[in-house]
């Protein structure tokens, strides 16, 4: 014991001397003996503290407090350690201070207790954070264990709670912001949901409301109490807003109690007053506390709800208004409000509305304000505003229920009633379905609701469900029998059901009950008077009764006297004036007034629209119709029996058609047809809209639908047929269009528009036929068009469209000149001379020399050249028709410009005709070109922006002035650079000016602009021909011909000539099918231009190639007659040379047709005419004479004059410079003479020529045949070797190869014995098949030699594959190959292919 005390003393001494290590050793020594020694642990802690070892010091002090917790020494030491290390041990420091304070409390030492508390608070304030400050302040609140001991020495609780509130507020704000910032970035998060979730979490764990309540409880300052009462209410309200939907009840009651408490204290905190007033949710406004409303207005005069309340309480619908007999009155403060106006005194209706409108702008979230505004607008019958306000209020109530848990059932019911009532009238009947649903919902909750009963009855009345409507109205009337409005509506329902007499009595009873006329009853009085008038109107429908001004008319007038703005009375008066009063002006005024007052007067609107339409006032028609559409009256309400209105949409469609707004008109007509699918006129209008907008297929369907009504409804649908024909015409279905027009004309024979349309369609069809090559049909259609024009009334001939169509019809005859003799000159002459003075047709007479007086001079009977005159007649009438078109288009600038343009092309057509016909009067020819140029200039003056006019001027001046022509083309391309025609014409100009690079650029641009424009390809072909590339030129001409119209003269001519040139240059025989195109083109040219002799000559040469000798002779005889006439006129050497050439060609054709004598005569004449070289050029003369000599030789040969034939061949041989083909022909003739001398000469000539022409197939074959016949083995072997070499060459023709194969096979069959010859023949056939396996001839030889079936089958299959267009096998070879088959079907096929061959018939007979 003594040693322990000594150690403790030593330890204390060491501490005093600052020898802390020694002190530690002494203290530890004591503790080692007695671990619960209090002083040893205290000294050990003190020493560790002085050495800067706080952990050891705290541990030692903790050990000491555990030994003696009621002793303050160890706690003081522990607090000292905590203080010396800042906020490191802040929480431990608070616990130590609290324990030490409790010790002093037990020791009753309040001074020391307060001191350590104050020191701790100062320390925490200097070194702690917000949470540590909050923990320190909690030592001073009443719940603290030392609060009672230190009460009076520490700050009052209110002050502490205020400080805590500030800390809590800052902490919560920081936490909320931090959490929102973190969570808002999550996928799918919204700021509203995140904010609500975060606040809910924070508020649920917060004690801030309790702190606010403690401040209120402990504070003695009323201002502070009021401030924190506001904060408490706001905090409770915010908590309520973020609570889940099912957990709001308790909190909602708490908020309501807090708000009511503030209101009871009359503290002007607006949120509390708003919640108290709003959340009362009374059935009627009367149930609110009027004094409470007064106080609210006084406290918050500038608030939106206050202004609304003030205006409402001043209004005549206020439930607090008192009668004059009462002594009470509603009084307000005399103090001015924010606007400077006093609150006392009555407000006018305008002031009430202004004040409430201003207020609702600030109180859009107030249920009560919106409810009051809804009531007030309904009173003013501002139904649109009621609907807008009601829908907003219902949404607001739903939001408030979700936010605050207050259901606002009464407000919901009241606002729904207002909304439903307004929907009955607003845009009726569009919204009546919604109104009926609201009324049904209200009646399901309150079956006795009078407004709902009345509203349901009115809706059913509007839907024409009068029986059901009467039930609802009688139910409402039973609750209030004195309600005259309901009584009159019930009576009117009875009238509409047909109970007119009963309704009349009821309405008259209503009039008696109404009594004297007042401002409040004027509307009902006017309505009753009108309905009485309608009952009288319907009771007696006779004309006399309805015309009686003492009957219904008087009541309609009295109705308007009662209420001059009552629309139905105006409608009834309008019907009276229109149908019985025979006063259209008054009727229109009545209808206009009725519709101005109410859009529900649809009958007045329809009659008004029809009257405007009859006067072509389309803007007014559209205004009326659109107002009806906007009112919603055109749509049938869901469940309603009342028919929807289609006529407003149809009227709008008609107006839009007149404005050329076709897309909009289609929509309007579609809307009309959705309402009334049986509306014939809407179908027609829809079809017309589709037609004008280019949607022809849809238009066709619409008109077909309209045409069905002719049978279904008995409607005269001629206009639908007419429009259907127009659509078919646009689609190019001219035949059906003409049938439709004729169908219409069968019913309406003199319908001018249909006649003109038929005429135009016939002309269009005629030109289509001409372009497709159906020239005869085109001429017939043009004649029909002129016949239709003759059926037009005399007074209506003078029309641009008529004369344009007539000019186009005449131009058809000008185009198809072979049918000019069919031109109906009498009809067109009478048309030209009708309706105008002859002097009027002198337009451009000084240029082209044509006027009406010339019409008689150009008739065919006046001239010997009937065909020429007929063509001239067509041209002249075409020109005169277009002149009449100019005279008929004085008022239309565009039509006049087009007329000048058409006249210009007519003049140009005449110019080209006379140039081609080589007319002798060159001055007259030039006049036509000059006139055409003037016409195009006139067109440009009238419409300078038309690119086609500039293009036409460029074409006409291309030879007159290339610079003007180029300028015109450039101007045309400036206006429309996508015109392939203008680019092609510009290229042609450059070709004529020999500027080929520029021409190529222009033509290439034309091709890229429109690849289907044939003339661009034709121009490129001309370029290729100028550059010497005939193969490319032929390809381009061929492509142009493929894509061009059949009537394109230039394309047909160039294509045919190019094909003929290539045909002349080719060595092998051309497949006849490849010549069909050029032959047809030449025939087309001859039909259009019979005087085009060169084309007719080429056509004869093609016919010769096709072995159509009769046709060739006919053509050549026509050419001979023409050339002979020309020579008689001009006696030119060129005509003589051409005559000789044609004679040579005719002689050759006659030779081919076995007319040897005439052939000889013509050939001799050609030789005689070509004997003088001066007449012919150096190239054509040798060819002509060679042809003539050969023809003479062959003709003489066939006539048996062998000497003459030999002489002719000898001469041909000399003049042809020993041509190989001539040598072959001469050799054949000499051999046929069958004399040794001639045959020797033939051998000599052939052997000599083979040296010159070693690769000539025909010479080689003749030598082989002669050697075989002479049995010259040596010569035969040499020639066979040459034939083998020739056969292996790729450049020989297919026919030559087949001939070589045939000769070699025949020669091999003649060699040696029978067995060797068969082997050799088989070998030759095998080689032939190896070289040409697709040649059916080799397989036929193989089949004939072997008698096997396989070669026969291969022969037939190869023959079938070698037919055109893939190959060139002719029909006879194919038929012969097939007849060598083994089946009857093959024989029959052979007969079908070539029935003129006897062998195929014989084969079929043998097979049978």
């Amino acid at each position: 014991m003594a040693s322990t005390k000594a150690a403790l003393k030593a330890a204390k001494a060491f501490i005093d001397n600052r020898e802390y290590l020694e002190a530690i050793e002494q203290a530890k020594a004591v503790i080692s003996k007695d671990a619960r020694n209090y002083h040893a642990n205290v000294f050990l802690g003190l020493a560790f503290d002085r050495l800067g070892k706080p952990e050891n010091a705290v541990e030692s002090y903790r050990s000491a407090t555990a030994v003696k917790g009621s002793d303050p020494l160890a706690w003081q030491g522990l607090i000292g350690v905590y203080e010396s290390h800042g906020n490191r041990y802040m929480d431990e420091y608070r616990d130590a201070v609290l324990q030490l304070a409790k010790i002093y409390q037990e020791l009753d030492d309040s001074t020391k207790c307060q001191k350590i508390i104050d020191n701790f608070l100062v320390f925490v304030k200097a070194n702690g954070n917000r949470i540590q400050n909050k923990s320190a302040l909690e030592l001073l609140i009443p719940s603290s264990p030392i609060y009672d001991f230190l009460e009076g020495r520490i700050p009052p609780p209110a002050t502490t709670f205020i400080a805590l509130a500030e800390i809590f507020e800052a902490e919560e704000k920081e936490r909320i912001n931090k959490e929102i910032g973190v969570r808002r970035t999550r996928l799918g998060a919204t700021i509203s949901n995140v904010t609500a979730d975060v606040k809910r979490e924070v508020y649920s764990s917060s004690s801030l409301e309790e702190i606010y309540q403690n401040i209120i409880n402990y504070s003695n300052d009323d201002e502070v109490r009021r401030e924190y009462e506001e904060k408490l209410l706001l905090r409770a309200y915010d908590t309520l807003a973020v609570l889940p939907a099912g957990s709001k009840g308790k909190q909602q009651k708490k908020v309501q109690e807090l708000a009511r408490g503030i209101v009871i204290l009359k503290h002007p905190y607006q949120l509390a007053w708003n919640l108290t007033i709003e959340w009362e949710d009374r059935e009627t406004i009367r149930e609110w506390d009027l004094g409470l409303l007064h106080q609210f207005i006084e406290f918050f005069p500038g608030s939106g709800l206050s202004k609304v309340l003030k205006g409402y309480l001043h209004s005549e619908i206020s439930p607090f208004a008192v009668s004059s007999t009462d002594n009470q009155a509603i009084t307000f403060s005399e103090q001015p409000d924010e606007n400077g106006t006093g609150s006392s005194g009555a407000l006018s209706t305008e002031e009430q509305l202004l004040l409430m409108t201003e207020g609702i702008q600030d109180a859009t979230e107030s249920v009560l304000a919106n409810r009051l505004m809804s009531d007030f607008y309904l009173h003013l019958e501002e139904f649109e505003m009621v609907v807008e306000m009601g829908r907003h209020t219902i949404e607001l109530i739903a939001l408030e229920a979700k936010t605050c848990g207050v259901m606002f059932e009464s407000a919901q019911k009241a606002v729904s009633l207002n909304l439903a009532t307004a929907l009955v009238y607003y845009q009726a009947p569009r919204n009546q379905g919604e109104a009926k649903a609201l009324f049904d919902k209200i009646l399901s909750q309150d079956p006795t609701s009078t407004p709902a009963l009345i509203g349901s009855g009115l809706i059913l009345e509007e839907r024409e469900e009068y029986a059901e409507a009467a039930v609802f109205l009688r139910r409402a009337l039973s609750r209030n029998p004195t309600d005259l409005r309901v009584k009159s509506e019930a009576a009117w329902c009875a009238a509409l059901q047909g109970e007119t007499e009963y309704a009349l009595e009821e309405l008259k009873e209503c009039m008696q009950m109404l009594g004297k006329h007042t401002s409040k009853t004027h509307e009902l009085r006017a309505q009753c008077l009108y309905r009485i008038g309608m009952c009288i109107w319907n009771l007696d429908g006779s004309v006399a009764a309805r015309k009686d001004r003492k009957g219904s008319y008087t009541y309609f007038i009295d109705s308007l006297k009662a209420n001059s703005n009552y629309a139905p009375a105006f409608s009834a008066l309008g019907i009276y004036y229109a149908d019985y009063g025979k006063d259209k002006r008054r009727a229109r005024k009545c209808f206009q007034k009725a519709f101005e007052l109410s859009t529900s007067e649809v009958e007045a609107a329809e009659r008004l629209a029809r009257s405007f339409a009859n006067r072509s006032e389309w803007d007014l028609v559209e205004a009326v119709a659109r107002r009806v559409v906007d009112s919603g009256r055109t749509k049938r309400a869901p469940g309603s029996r009342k028919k929807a209105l289609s006529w407003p949409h149809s009227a709008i469609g008609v107006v839009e058609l007149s404005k050329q707004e076709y897309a909009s008109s289609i929509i309007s007509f579609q809307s009309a047809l959705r309402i009334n699918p049986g509306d014939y006129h809407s179908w027609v209008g829809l079809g017309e809209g589709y037609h004008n907008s280019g949607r022809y297929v849809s238009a066709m369907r619409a008109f077909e639908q309209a045409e069905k009504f002719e049978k279904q409804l008995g409607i005269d649908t001629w206009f639908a047929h007419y429009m259907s024909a127009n659509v078919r015409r646009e689609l190019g279905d001219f035949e059906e269009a003409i049938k439709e027009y004729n169908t219409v004309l069968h019913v309406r024979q003199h319908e001018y528009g249909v006649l003109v349309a038929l005429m135009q369609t016939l002309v269009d069809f005629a030109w289509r036929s001409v372009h497709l090559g159906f020239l005869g049909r085109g001429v017939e259609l043009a004649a029909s068009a002129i016949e239709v024009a003759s059926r037009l009334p005399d007074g209506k001939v003078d029309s641009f469209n008529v004369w344009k169509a007539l000019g186009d019809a005449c131009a058809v005859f000008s185009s198809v000149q072979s049918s000019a003799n069919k031109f109906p000159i009498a009809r067109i002459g009478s048309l030209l001379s009708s309706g105008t003075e002859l002097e009027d047709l002198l337009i451009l007479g000084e240029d082209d020399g044509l006027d009406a007086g010339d019409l008689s001079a150009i008739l065919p009977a006046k001239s010997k050249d009937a065909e020429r005159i007929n063509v001239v007649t067509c041209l002249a009438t075409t020109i005169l028709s277009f002149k009449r078109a100019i005279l008929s288009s004085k008022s239309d600038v565009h039509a006049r410009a087009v007329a000048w343009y058409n006249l210009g092309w007519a003049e140009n057509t005449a110019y080209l005709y006379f140039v081609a016909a080589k007319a002798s009067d060159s001055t007259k020819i030039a006049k036509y070109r000059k006139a055409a140029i003037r016409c195009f200039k006139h067109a440009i003056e009238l419409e300078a922006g038309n690119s086609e006019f500039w293009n036409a001027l460029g074409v006409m001046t291309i030879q007159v002035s290339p610079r003007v022509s180029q300028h015109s083309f450039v101007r045309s391309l400036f206006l429309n650079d996508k015109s392939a025609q203008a680019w092609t014409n510009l290229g042609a100009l450059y070709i004529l000016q020999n500027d080929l690079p520029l021409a190529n650029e222009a033509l290439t641009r034309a091709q890229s602009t429109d690849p289907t424009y044939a003339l661009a390809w034709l121009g490129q072909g001309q370029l290729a021909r100028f550059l010497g590339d005939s193969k490319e030129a032929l390809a381009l001409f061929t492509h142009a011909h493929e894509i061009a119209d059949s009537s394109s003269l230039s394309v047909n001519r160039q294509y045919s000539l190019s094909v003929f040139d290539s045909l002349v240059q080719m060595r092998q025989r051309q497949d006849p099918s490849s010549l069909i195109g050029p032959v047809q083109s030449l025939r087309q040219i001859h039909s259009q231009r019979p005087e085009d002799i060169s084309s007719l000559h080429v056509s004869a040469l093609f016919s010769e190639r096709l072995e159509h000798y009769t046709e060739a002779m006919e053509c050549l005889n026509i050419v001979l007659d023409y050339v002979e006439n020309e020579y008689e006129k001009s006696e030119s050497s060129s005509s003589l040379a051409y005559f000789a050439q044609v004679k040579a060609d005719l002689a050759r054709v006659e030779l081919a047709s076995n007319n040897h004598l005439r052939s000889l005569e013509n050939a001799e004449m050609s030789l005689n005419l070509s004997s003088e070289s001066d007449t012919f050029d150096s190239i054509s003369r040798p060819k002509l004479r060679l042809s003539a000599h050969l023809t003479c030789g062959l003709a003489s040969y066939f006539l048996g004059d062998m000497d003459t034939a030999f002489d002719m061949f000898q001469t041909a041989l000399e003049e042809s410079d020993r041509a190989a083909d001539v040598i072959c022909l001469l050799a054949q003739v000499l051999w046929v003479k069958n004399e040794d001398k001639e045959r020797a000469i033939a051998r000599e000539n052939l052997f000599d020529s083979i040296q010159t022409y070693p690769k000539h197939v025909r010479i080689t074959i003749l030598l082989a045949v002669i050697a075989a016949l002479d049995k010259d083995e040596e010569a035969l072997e040499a020639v066979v070797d040459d034939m083998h070499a020739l056969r292996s060459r790729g450049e020989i023709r297919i026919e030559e190869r087949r001939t070589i194969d045939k000769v070699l096979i025949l020669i091999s069959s003649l060699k040696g014995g029978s067995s060797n010859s068969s082997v050799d023949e088989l070998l030759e056939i095998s080689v032939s098949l190896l070289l040409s396996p697709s040649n059916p001839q080799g397989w036929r030889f193989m089949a004939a030699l072997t008698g096997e079936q396989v070669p026969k089958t291969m022969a037939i299959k190869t023959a079938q594959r070698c037919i055109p267009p893939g190959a060139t096998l002719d029909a006879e070879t194919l038929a012969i190959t097939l007849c060598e088959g083994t089946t009857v079907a093959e024989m029959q096929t052979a007969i079908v292919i070539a029935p003129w061959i006897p062998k195929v018939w014989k084969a079929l007979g043998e097979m049978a």
Side-chain angles (χ1 to χ4, degrees), residues 1280-1293:
V1280 167
D1281 291 340
D1282 291 340
M1283 292 174 69
H1284 282 149
L1286 286 173
R1287 185 170 61 175
S1288 61
R1289 287 169 53 199
E1291 65 268 17
I1292 66 172
R1293 293 179 295 174

Side-chain angles (χ1 to χ4, degrees), residues 1119-1130:
V1119 174
L1120 279 175
D1121 292 341
Y1122 178 83
V1123 175
E1124 186 176 358
N1125 291 333
E1126 287 293 322
Y1127 180 75
E1128 289 177 356
K1129 294 178 181 179
S1130 62

Side-chain angles (χ1 to χ4, degrees), residues 1046-1119:
S1046 297
S1047 61
S1048 179
L1049 291 172
S1050 56
V1051 173
N1052 288 337
R1053 186 178 290 111
Q1054 291 298 331
Y1055 167 67
S1056 302
L1057 293 176
S1058 181
V1059 171
F1060 186 79
D1061 291 342
S1062 66
L1063 193 63
V1064 171
Q1065 296 173 5
M1066 294 171 63
R1067 295 177 61 242
Q1068 67 266 25
R1069 182 180 179 183
Q1070 192 72 11
D1071 177 47
S1073 62
S1074 64
L1075 304 181
I1076 294 176
V1079 170
Q1080 185 63 31
S1081 298
L1082 290 167
R1083 288 176 179 173
Q1084 195 82 10
I1085 294 173
H1086 180 63
S1087 297
Q1088 293 180 256
R1089 297 291 184 270
E1091 297 180 356
D1092 190 346
I1093 300 304
S1094 60
S1095 298
L1096 188 61
H1097 188 186
V1098 176
S1099 178
L1101 297 177
F1102 271 112
S1103 298
E1104 179 188 5
R1105 293 271 177 160
L1106 293 172
E1107 300 180 3
H1108 298 166
Y1109 302 121
T1110 302
E1111 182 179 346
M1113 284 190 290
E1114 291 176 356
C1115 294
L1116 290 172
N1117 284 321
I1118 294 173
V1119 174

Side-chain angles (χ1 to χ4, degrees), residues 1215-1234:
E1215 292 193 3
S1216 64
D1217 195 17
R1218 298 188 64 80
D1221 290 330
V1222 178
I1223 292 173
C1224 292
L1225 187 60
L1226 177 60
Q1228 287 174 305
V1229 171
L1230 291 172
W1231 191 269
V1232 170
K1233 290 184 72 174
N1234 199 18

Side-chain angles (χ1 to χ4, degrees), residues 249-286:
K250 184 177 179 180
Q251 185 70 14
Q252 187 262 332
K253 291 180 180 179
K254 178 180 178 181
V255 171
Q256 194 167 9
E257 290 176 358
L258 290 172
R260 188 176 292 113
I262 293 176
V263 171
I264 291 172
L265 295 174
K266 296 185 180 180
H267 175 58
Y269 180 48
Q270 189 169 350
L271 176 62
W273 287 83
N274 282 343
L275 294 177
T276 301
I277 294 174
E278 296 267 4
W279 286 9
E280 284 191 16
D281 191 31
R282 305 295 184 182
E283 285 284 342
T284 62
I285 304 299
R286 184 184 295 276

